[in-house]
Amino acid sequence: MLEGKVALVTGAAKGIGRAIALALAAEKATVIVNYNGSAQKAEQVLEEIRALGADGRTFQCNVANTADTDAMIREIIKTYGRLDILVNNAGITRDNLIMKMSEEDFDAVIDANLKSCFNTIRAASRQMLRQRSGRIINITSVSGILGNAGQANYAASKAGIIGLTRTMARELASRGITVNAIAPGFVETDMTKALPESVREAATAQIPLGRFGRPEEIADMAAYLASDKAAYMTGQIISVDGGMAIG
């Protein structure tokens, strides 16, 4: 159980982030639902959190913006007095072959996916260091492990998260703070549901288990990493991908 713990989940209005927020709430954590543009969906997630008997709030913030992220985490700590769990889930895609990819699309994905993790970890770790405890969970991707044609920006950002995870694990371990990452494969979200059927079939053919994952399957791993059961795990990149990254 995570009763008494305060968790911040970025990009929690839908998809994997929503599932993680609900999984933490089911363990009775207080959950801050961060969102950038989906206010209505964020409020719906908060209603679901309260229906589970947990507390929480929504918080609009573009976590790619350093000043706004610092302000959000200061407000969370002012309100709750602590921050125990940080889940970095926020991210975007702007796919294209590199010869067609604009500088703007490359920078936007690096900022939204990788710089956002830097921003939140830097701000949250100050409080966690004072507490001498904390759980940081970053959402990377199978693309960051294997690479993926048409995703130079996305794969680079997710590979960067892997390097950031391992480095932060080394920096923060002495104060009882663990830092791990989950690398999902193809998961049933609004983004993947919009894929053409031919693309879905080709993707499924790459998955040894023969299906896309469910957001809840990623969320269950996040809830485990946030718990005391994972107290001796840090610096790990855990693939939840149906076997795509088998090497």
Side-chain angles (χ1 to χ4, degrees):
M1 296 293 285
L2 298 173
E3 194 165 3
K5 304 292 188 182
V6 177
L8 167 62
V9 183
T10 71
K14 53 189 177 180
I16 292 171
R18 170 187 171 274
I20 292 172
L22 295 179
L24 298 178
E27 296 296 322
K28 304 307 179 192
T30 296
V31 182
I32 292 87
V33 178
N34 163 258
Y35 69 97
N36 189 19
S38 306
Q40 184 176 0
K41 289 183 178 180
E43 290 296 333
Q44 290 171 355
V45 175
L46 181 58
E47 289 178 12
E48 293 178 88
I49 286 169
R50 289 173 173 162
L52 290 168
D55 192 15
R57 64 169 289 184
T58 61
F59 209 119
Q60 193 281 330
C61 174
N62 176 7
V63 285
N65 183 292
T66 304
D68 289 352
T69 303
D70 287 348
M72 174 180 66
I73 290 179
R74 280 197 304 270
E75 179 64 23
I76 291 168
I77 294 164
K78 179 180 176 183
T79 301
Y80 297 101
R82 61 188 301 110
L83 179 58
D84 302 284
I85 301 159
L86 168 64
V87 182
N88 281 311
N89 168 76
I92 63 171
T93 56
R94 292 191 183 177
D95 297 351
N96 219 328
L97 297 173
I98 197 161
M99 296 305 296
K100 298 180 179 179
M101 185 176 291
S102 68
E103 181 182 0
E104 291 75 18
D105 281 352
F106 185 87
D107 289 347
V109 170
I110 294 296
D111 285 351
N113 297 4
L114 179 56
K115 186 183 177 186
S116 63
C117 292
F118 164 77
N119 286 339
T120 56
I121 292 171
R122 189 175 67 161
S125 62
R126 296 187 184 105
Q127 177 64 27
M128 292 179 176
L129 287 166
R130 285 193 288 270
Q131 295 169 187
R132 301 186 72 86
S133 67
R135 297 280 189 270
I136 298 172
I137 302 160
N138 299 320
I139 306 300
T140 178
S141 169
V142 66
S143 294
I145 297 171
L146 300 179
N148 194 26
Q151 287 195 316
N153 49 4
Y154 184 78
S157 71
K158 294 300 188 176
I161 289 172
I162 290 172
L164 182 65
T165 297
R166 289 176 168 152
T167 301
M168 292 302 93
R170 291 182 183 277
E171 285 192 16
L172 301 174
S174 65
R175 297 295 183 92
I177 301 164
T178 66
V179 189
N180 295 289
I182 303 170
F186 286 98
V187 177
E188 292 285 2
T189 63
D190 290 346
M191 189 183 302
T192 57
K193 286 174 184 175
L195 293 172
E197 188 59 32
S198 60
V199 175
R200 287 178 60 88
E201 289 176 1
T204 303
Q206 300 175 48
I207 305 169
L209 285 179
R211 66 171 177 86
F212 281 25
R214 298 185 301 273
E216 292 76 17
E217 292 173 311
I218 313 303
D220 287 343
M221 178 56 68
Y224 172 75
L225 291 173
S227 75
D228 289 342
K229 293 178 181 179
Y232 201 55
M233 289 178 64
T234 197
Q236 300 306 302
I237 315 302
I238 302 162
S239 294
V240 184
D241 62 3
M244 283 187 72
I246 291 171

